[in-house]
Amino acid sequence: MASIHEEKDENGKTTSYYVSYRFRNRFGKTKQSIKRGFRKKKDAETFKREVETDYYNNQVKVTDSMTVSELMDEWEKSLTKRQSMGDLATNTVNGYKVNIRHIKGGLGDIRLSDLTTEAIEDFYLAKYESGNYRTGEALSATSIRYIHTNLRNALAFAVQKHFTKYNPAVGATKVTKQLKKPRICSLEEIDRINQHTLGTELEMPVYLALSLGLRRGEALGLKWERIDFETKTIFIEEQWALGPDGYAFVRLKSNYSQRPLPFNEEVAKKLLAVKATQDALKKDPDNRYFDHGLVCCQQNGLPIRPEYMSQAFSRMIDKLNIPSLRFHDLRHTFASRALSKGVPLLIVSRMLGHASISITADIYGHPTDEAFRDAANISHEAIWGRK
């Protein structure tokens, strides 16, 4: 199946060896090839054994020319195909594309056959130093972990497609996920934010995030038709998010994300007041209203872009001199304060739309200072209160 041959100079002296061999390409077809340049016969013999083993085990010959960048292009095509089939959510694919950009920028020119575990680890370290494209500062450990997961999955895809024989990302040192401690709003901060957003486009997104723990896209995609005022239930089923053809209402993928949320009388009053304001705007002949049936929208009824809302929220926080608070921290605040007041972890997890209760415990279950103090008082009373 494979044979070793000598290459000789004009005097008949052996200068090197070459191996002629058969192999299977990635389509399973048998091909013939030659590998030259072996200075020692034992090296040619080692290669001969390897190709014979591969051939008899139906292994294919991998390409020596494909680069990491070319692999990531193939990987992105496969993700887009899975998205079109409904196997991957739009936001998930958008997140992958961000990671692909980082990978192509740092490792793209390296051939798959030359990619090593050490090169991948060096790439991660470089991202720690100045991996943020926008600011030039370090990427967080969480962001690098996402990149690692994407690269590992892309290389597993490459092995499956016979682009390479092994996955060097599996052996790379994983970046420890450093969970950032949630920023919980104080009651005084909540009051200030609430007062400052009254009558603005931020009013209802902020209120829904604080009252029900809605994500940004969920709040911006909530429609009046999904609210049952008789049973006081909101049905969370879709979000306003960026899709392949621009912004669109995207159905939430998991059964946990699609969830009913009960609300109390105070929330009902707030919702009805906003609805009355919108109804008045629709009837105003001087106001052109684009009715998309949205709870959270611009003054003219059009949807609010998620990025715009986050930027507007940041500007407001700066104006109020409230330190280091993101819109998503309102969801943190809802979860943490609910837990601190004794709402069961499982219930909070279901309200947040988490697939696992452990996610809620790890990310949102950090007790507040108030809860720590209450626990200290209760524990002290349990030990010393008998005196």
Side-chain angles (χ1 to χ4, degrees):
M1 195 281 294
S3 57
I4 300 174
H5 306 272
E6 298 180 350
E7 290 191 310
K8 299 181 179 182
D9 60 18
E10 57 186 14
N11 297 318
K13 182 179 179 181
T14 300
T15 57
S16 63
Y17 300 87
Y18 68 90
V19 180
S20 61
Y21 64 99
R22 288 183 291 172
F23 69 94
R24 289 184 173 87
N25 67 13
R26 69 187 189 91
F27 301 104
K29 295 186 178 297
T30 299
K31 299 289 184 179
Q32 190 78 21
S33 186
I34 294 175
K35 177 73 172 179
R36 299 183 182 277
F38 295 101
R39 294 295 180 184
K40 297 179 181 180
K41 188 174 183 179
K42 67 176 182 179
D43 294 331
E45 291 172 342
T46 298
F47 179 79
K48 177 178 179 291
R49 287 194 298 271
E50 289 176 353
V51 294
E52 286 179 337
T53 299
D54 285 349
Y55 186 84
Y56 287 121
N57 289 334
N58 291 317
Q59 295 294 315
V60 301
K61 181 178 183 294
V62 301
T63 176
D64 289 328
S65 61
M66 176 175 275
T67 64
V68 174
S69 184
E70 290 169 341
L71 166 64
M72 299 315 295
D73 289 339
E74 292 296 320
W75 173 236
E76 184 172 344
K77 288 178 186 176
S78 74
L79 295 174
T80 302
K81 182 178 179 180
R82 290 172 61 188
Q83 177 188 358
S84 67
M85 296 170 62
D87 188 39
L88 285 177
T90 298
N91 278 2
T92 301
V93 174
N94 289 339
Y96 275 133
K97 288 180 179 179
V98 172
N99 295 330
I100 288 170
R101 181 189 176 194
H102 283 287
I103 294 166
K104 290 175 70 172
L107 299 171
D109 293 336
I110 301 176
R111 294 191 305 176
L112 282 182
S113 56
D114 296 332
L115 184 63
T116 63
T117 299
E118 292 75 18
I120 293 173
E121 292 178 347
D122 288 343
F123 164 63
Y124 294 158
L125 290 174
K127 286 295 172 182
Y128 264 129
E129 295 295 326
S130 57
N132 190 310
Y133 285 120
R134 183 172 58 85
T135 66
E137 298 176 352
L139 278 185
S140 69
T142 300
S143 294
I144 298 173
R145 183 180 175 89
Y146 288 146
I147 292 172
H148 171 77
T149 300
N150 198 336
L151 179 59
R152 183 190 62 204
N153 291 342
L155 287 167
F157 167 82
V159 173
Q160 181 185 20
K161 293 294 184 180
H162 307 299
F163 298 149
T164 187
K165 284 188 176 181
Y166 82 110
N167 185 344
V170 172
T173 302
K174 291 185 179 180
V175 180
T176 303
K177 188 174 182 180
Q178 300 172 351
L179 289 174
K180 185 177 181 180
K181 184 178 180 180
R183 166 74 161 87
I184 310 303
C185 294
S186 68
L187 297 179
E188 186 268 339
E189 288 173 337
I190 291 173
D191 289 341
R192 290 173 62 198
I193 291 170
N194 182 55
Q195 288 298 319
H196 198 79
T197 56
L198 289 175
T200 72
E201 296 170 349
L202 288 175
E203 179 179 1
M204 284 311 293
V206 166
Y207 185 81
L208 291 171
L210 282 169
S211 300
L212 297 172
L214 264 60
R215 300 178 177 93
R216 181 184 65 176
E218 292 171 349
L220 298 182
L222 179 62
K223 297 178 181 177
W224 291 110
E225 66 187 36
R226 306 314 301 157
I227 301 177
D228 188 332
F229 284 98
E230 184 175 343
T231 62
K232 291 187 175 59
T233 305
I234 292 176
F235 297 91
I236 306 299
E237 294 181 347
E238 59 184 0
Q239 62 181 330
W240 181 245
L242 185 62
D245 301 317
Y247 284 98
F249 294 101
V250 180
R251 188 170 180 82
L252 298 171
K253 184 179 177 183
S254 74
N255 292 331
Y256 292 100
S257 295
Q258 297 177 25
R259 61 200 188 277
L261 286 177
F263 57 88
N264 63 19
E265 188 62 35
E266 290 300 315
V267 175
K269 290 178 181 178
K270 183 81 169 181
L271 288 167
L272 288 170
V274 170
K275 193 173 189 304
T277 299
Q278 290 185 7
D279 289 341
L281 289 171
K282 295 174 190 177
K283 296 176 182 178
D284 186 352
D286 297 325
N287 181 63
R288 189 181 181 189
Y289 195 88
F290 302 88
D291 190 4
H292 290 269
L294 292 169
V295 176
C296 305
C297 58
Q298 300 179 41
Q299 298 289 346
N300 60 3
L302 290 175
I304 302 172
R305 284 194 305 110
E307 290 78 7
Y308 167 80
M309 196 198 68
S310 293
Q311 292 166 4
F313 183 81
S314 295
R315 287 194 296 268
M316 178 196 69
I317 293 303
D318 290 342
K319 185 176 181 179
L320 295 177
N321 291 320
I322 295 176
S324 183
L325 188 72
R326 305 162 299 170
F327 182 85
H328 198 75
D329 288 323
L330 303 180
R331 180 170 155 92
H332 286 313
T333 299
F334 163 81
S336 295
R337 290 202 171 273
L339 290 167
S340 72
K341 293 302 180 182
V343 179
L345 183 63
L346 178 61
I347 299 300
V348 174
S349 181
R350 292 293 180 263
M351 293 185 74
L352 293 170
H354 284 163
S356 169
I357 193 173
S358 64
I359 297 175
T360 315
D362 289 343
I363 300 177
Y364 296 101
H366 301 271
T368 62
D369 292 340
E370 179 184 352
F372 271 124
R373 191 170 298 280
D374 288 345
N377 290 334
I378 293 171
S379 300
H380 186 276
E381 180 67 20
I383 299 296
W384 306 106
R386 64 186 185 277
K387 292 184 179 179

